[in-house]
Amino acid sequence: MSQQNRLSTGGRVDRSRKVRFTFEGKSYEGFAGDTLASALLANNVHLVGRSFKYHRPRGVLTAGSEEPNAIVQLGTGARTEPNTRAPMIELYDGLNANPQNCWPSVNSDIGEINNKLSRFFPAGFYYKTFMWPKSMWMKYEEVIRHSAGMGVAPTEEDPDSYATKHVHCDVLVAGGGPAGLAAALAAGRSGARVIIADEHGEFGGSLLGDADATIDGKPAMEWVASAVEELKAMEEVTVLPRTTVTAYYDHNFLTALERVTDHLGPQDNTDIPRQRFWQIRAKEVVIAQGSVERPMLFGDNDRPGVMLASAVRTYINRFGVLPGREVVVFTNNDSAYRTAIDAVAAGATVHVVDTRKGPKGALVEKARSLGVDVHDNCGVIGTCGKKKVTGVDVMELNEAGDGVVGSSFHLSADIVAMSSGWTPMVSLYSQARGKLRYDEELSTFLPDHCQWANHNVGACNGDFTLEGALSQGFEAGAKSAKNCGFGDGAAPATPKAPQEAEEPLRVLWYIPSDKPLGRKRKHFHEFQNDSTVADIHIAAREGFISVEHLKRYTTTGMGTDQGKTSNVNAIGIMSGIRQIAPNAVGTTTFRPPYTPLTFGAATGHGVKELFLQKRKSPMHPAHEAHGAVYEDVGDWKRPRYFPKDGEDMHAAVQRECKQVRETVGMLDATTLGKIDIQGPDAAKFLNMIYTNAWLKLGVGKARYGLMCNEHGMVFDDGVTTRLGENHFHMTTTTGGAGRVANWLEEWLQTEWPEMEVYCTSVTEQWAVMGLNGPMSRDLLSELCDDIDLSGESFKFMEMREGHVAGVPARVYRISFTGELAFEINVPARYGLHVWNALIEAGKKYDLVLYGTESMHVLRAEKGFIIAGQDTDGSVTPMDLDMSWIVGKNKEDFLGRRSFARSDTSREGRKQMVGILTEDPNVVLPEGAHVVKELKDKPPMEMLGHISSSYMSPNCGRSIAMGLIKDGFKLKGQSFYVPLIDGATHKVTITDPIFFDKEGVRSRG
């Protein structure tokens, strides 16, 4: 019978719109407004998956994003998505879902043998089992990798589009239940900019599953509808359904995932994004995430049909689905009696098993008046059935609740609705580094204090009453708005929302059985990863008592649900074992995202050509016109060489290098990182960042500097020029620009916040042309008549401002080739004009355009390093024979203290040297090893490696640089370089400067 568990009336689904879907290849029907979980339950499908480790049958446990069991593979082909939670998948026509972690089917899973062998797979078994023999390690890894993971990732290109949105707001409200709506209303009415987001398709939170709740004498959902309508009408309010606030970072920066079209199914029109990733900076945050119900921990509590009591109630009232006709409600508190009452009203036979002795609350008495049998001071010790629960065994509890007495009795049941109390959702609050406190009365953790401007309201703040949620929401919304400069902070009057008073719960972290713990029946506390109460006891016995060790040893909270239903129970069990309070056990670290996030949404538009953008300098059209061959440097397209007809790269580079030293060459150096540094402490800051001295550098003077990391290893290099008393222009390597900018900001923001220094990336503000060669001064003088370019007036390592080709320019006398050179910086919009003017004027000087390959050869001829190529993170300035650049009289700089380590000054460190092959025509491959002695086969003692290697037309032979152990002492000695093709070359260690050793040319 189709939808045999669907009630004839009730619920919020649209019964006039049937929706067809398939699950594991079988067709079913649901209604518009269903979730996959509610539709499956309506069709009496309870077995929806298998557990991760033991492959036990599992069914729907919850009705929300905390679902640990009903995790399915959604869709097929390029749009398939693993690990989707059935209660959060809105039903659409043609939906196709399949169970995960089972083969060949969910009903007959060969992996179920793991359950038979479960005694061999306790907590931590993998740490002990796969240690020996060593020869099997790789085989173990193969088996483990094959077994690990859940679901199947798509192998085809994602056909959907995603969007990213950056916004600011005064008040962000996370959660659209009664507390969140009240907060948004109070803040919105004040005129503040408000964003309210809720993960469900409808606002209302817990009220969606509560048919009895009233506000001011009317059904609560009428108030919700009115509130949402009012919010949507407010110009400064953004209402975001189907949007999960996923992360809370420092300074009230939060992210949220909006599921734009997921509820409609696959879309052919990719102009509309499937999902939108919001990045929000809020002045104030109101957290109204609500709470989730904790499961009872009893024998075999994981069978399909065992559900949270609140979930059963939600399926009845929100979806018009009664999951079963014989319901056993197992509880330690009053709230589950609401489920018993609603299940009776829906036509079910209901029994309540209550761990408390003589419960007498209003809800209890109401349930009894409806004919519900209440078995007090009892506990469910086990369930019956295999792929679906068929009944439960019950026994009376002893006085302490840690044992059972008397004889067991059996209750028939096709649904077990369990409740062990409520866990406020403090995930976002904890991500913001908010501190928690343990509440003994509620047996859970509550928000305590946080450094950021936020407010917790409603159930996530420990108030589980509707009127309390509304009151806290209005108060927090009004206060937040006032803190942002809106309104007077007075909260609106709280509507009346009467609710039955509840008696205290009885805290039993797990239910005892008639069998020793771990024998025959398993008490699951972490459903997704198959962690049991017995596993926690094993962890304690083996010394894993720290909450973080407990998490990793038992895999508690390490699933896609992040332990939303399991963590507090696990902490409570460990507290009992250790005989300490739960707050002394502590909590694990809450990490974003709150719920799983698709890679597509996190990436947004940054895919394909936008993932690694092709950055081009302003002179790129001219490079195209001159036939440039490019290489990718970072994300820049840099000309590698400019071949003439018939030339390969070698011929072009040899020609370019020769011509630069004979006439003049021009290089596009726009891609160099450029950082504008200003502030009263700018010189002091540079003095700490660089190894050499900067305090006395004159205005208009430039200086080469080395940066070291805190370990004393070379990090980056470049030339920095003083433009004014408190103004510097720093250049970095092309590939290191972003890294250096982040490095500067990290130290300013975290270590030296008292320094008044401001760093701004200006890489793309300036177009840079490097003129190199003996005729560079003559060429530049053709286009620059307001700067005296003579050597007497404009010295090496100085800067002048003037005009080049009629354009305002900064001209620097710096050289990376060892030639007379000028670097011309002009505003980027004039770059192409100045470049073309220089080409035209340079014709009579036989100007040559050269690229990065020639640049490498020319700098290597002079022994100049490239950070990241000739350094590898393990090289100090002294290893580069650059002790001269380390300030001897400076009190401190980054890396200085590390130079005092014994390892930094030990013998045997690799040092930068020149390397010449015996055969001058042999160009050694970079990365080749230099060995002390040749042997017939490895191993051979390696002295070091080749870091740079080229054929130099100006030296008339090959040249190379390398890092060699004690290289400074080995100059003049010969060694060998064996290559992978079997060839061996004899080499001699030399000084790394191969051309113009005195440096006369650059200072000419």
Side-chain angles (χ1 to χ4, degrees), residues 218 262 359 387 580 621 946 978 999:
K218 297 179 181 179
D262 281 0
K387 295 171 185 175
I580 61 175
I946 308 298

Side-chain angles (χ1 to χ4, degrees), residues 864-876:
F864 297 156
I865 66 163
I866 289 186
Q869 178 171 327
D870 298 302
T871 65
D872 60 0
S874 66
V875 179
T876 68

Side-chain angles (χ1 to χ4, degrees), residues 578-648:
R578 296 179 61 189
Q579 294 297 297
I580 61 175
N583 63 305
V585 176
T587 61
T588 56
T589 303
F590 292 82
R591 293 183 174 88
Y594 172 68
T595 53
L597 182 72
T598 58
F599 286 114
T603 305
H605 290 114
V607 296
K608 299 178 181 177
E609 66 276 0
L610 295 180
F611 174 69
L612 185 64
Q613 298 179 38
K614 296 176 182 177
R615 297 172 74 184
K616 301 173 183 177
S617 82
M619 291 81 92
H620 192 84
H623 303 332
E624 290 280 293
H626 286 86
V629 175
Y630 300 97
E631 73 168 331
D632 294 324
V633 182
D635 46 5
W636 287 97
K637 287 291 182 183
R638 295 198 71 179
R640 191 175 188 185
Y641 58 97
F642 292 87
K644 291 189 174 180
D645 290 344
E647 282 186 333
D648 59 11

Side-chain angles (χ1 to χ4, degrees), residues 684-741:
K684 179 182 175 182
F685 175 59
L686 291 174
N687 215 45
M688 289 295 293
I689 290 293
Y690 284 122
T691 61
N692 47 345
W694 291 83
L695 296 177
K696 296 181 180 179
L697 183 68
V699 175
K701 304 290 185 181
R703 182 165 292 166
Y704 173 75
L706 272 186
M707 292 182 193
C708 290
N709 61 24
E710 60 267 49
H711 306 296
M713 306 303 165
V714 173
F715 173 66
D716 204 271
D717 68 345
V719 173
T720 295
T721 306
R722 194 167 203 159
L723 305 178
E725 183 63 27
N726 299 319
H727 190 186
F728 293 82
H729 176 83
M730 173 188 285
T731 62
T732 73
T733 57
T734 296
R739 183 174 68 246
V740 171

